[in-house]
Amino acid sequence: MVQERTLSIIKPDGLEKGVIGKIIARFEEHGLKPVAIRLAHLSTREAEGFYAVHKARPFFKDLVTFMTSGPVVLMVLEGENAIQRNRDIMGATNPANAAPGTIRKDFATDVEKNTVHGSDGPDTAKAEIAYFFRETELHPYAYRR
Ligand code: IDP
Ligand code: MG
């Protein structure tokens, strides 16, 4: 049983749609525990740094504008196989291609305003968690249910 941590973000469209609670409930139902949660309104510099890997993509400028358009929820999710599990719960980047029952299928507006971010591998998870959280801000606990 490999316990992992991954970075999850509920994007500005998720807050505007009023689905913070529904999204976190899905993570909990699938055994992904939030061990850190914080609201933030990202600066342009923070969003550009976070998405630096996409700097050369044609959608980069619009993505940064979107991600700074309102507050987001930053979370660290912990659980078995958390990185891939989170990606599965999120669904495909473009909600038109997302499987039924995924967050993006149920809540996303389009390929840009797709409600959630999730780290895509162990290295990015480590780097993305460190981008927003100090180790002392992570608070693991066990389910007893
Ligand atoms: P991911 O979030 O599923 O990992 P990435 O390819 O890493 O997808 O893209 C990062 C984010 O950039 C997406 O979640 C989405 O908000 C935005 N994005 C990706 N592709 C497009 C596109 O073709 N048009 C507009 N925005 C895009
Ligand atoms: Mg990605």
Side-chain angles (χ1 to χ4, degrees):
M1 196 164 95
V2 182
Q3 292 290 315
E4 286 180 342
R5 288 175 177 169
T6 190
L7 186 83
S8 169
I9 304 178
I10 305 178
K11 299 185 181 184
D13 67 304
L15 276 66
E16 289 172 0
K17 289 164 183 154
V19 293
I20 294 173
K22 286 184 180 171
I23 290 171
I24 294 178
R26 289 187 185 204
F27 293 142
E28 290 181 320
E29 284 157 12
H30 289 88
L32 294 182
K33 284 179 288 193
V35 297
I37 303 182
R38 181 171 86 241
L39 262 83
H41 194 141
L42 302 183
S43 66
T44 297
R45 183 197 280 235
E46 279 176 313
E48 284 176 348
F50 183 74
Y51 279 120
V53 64
H54 294 307
K55 210 170 172 47
R57 308 286 285 278
F59 58 79
F60 180 72
K61 198 164 178 286
D62 285 347
L63 175 60
V64 169
T65 299
F66 163 54
M67 290 299 289
T68 58
S69 67
V72 298
V73 178
L74 305 170
M75 281 183 287
V76 178
L77 301 177
E78 182 183 84
E80 194 180 338
N81 199 21
I83 298 166
Q84 187 57 47
R85 187 170 293 191
N86 180 39
R87 297 290 308 194
D88 292 346
I89 297 166
M90 290 164 57
T93 305
N94 187 339
N97 304 325
T102 60
I103 291 169
R104 284 168 165 172
K105 181 69 174 184
D106 292 345
F107 301 123
T109 299
D110 55 36
V111 67
E112 178 191 77
K113 295 176 179 60
N114 59 7
T115 317
V116 279
H117 167 86
S119 307
D120 63 6
D123 294 342
T124 47
K126 202 169 192 293
E128 289 178 358
I129 291 168
Y131 193 80
F132 288 118
F133 292 97
R134 301 166 196 270
E135 189 66 35
T136 53
E137 293 176 305
L138 309 183
H139 302 287
Y141 51 94
Y143 280 144
R144 308 184 196 285
R145 53 182 187 176

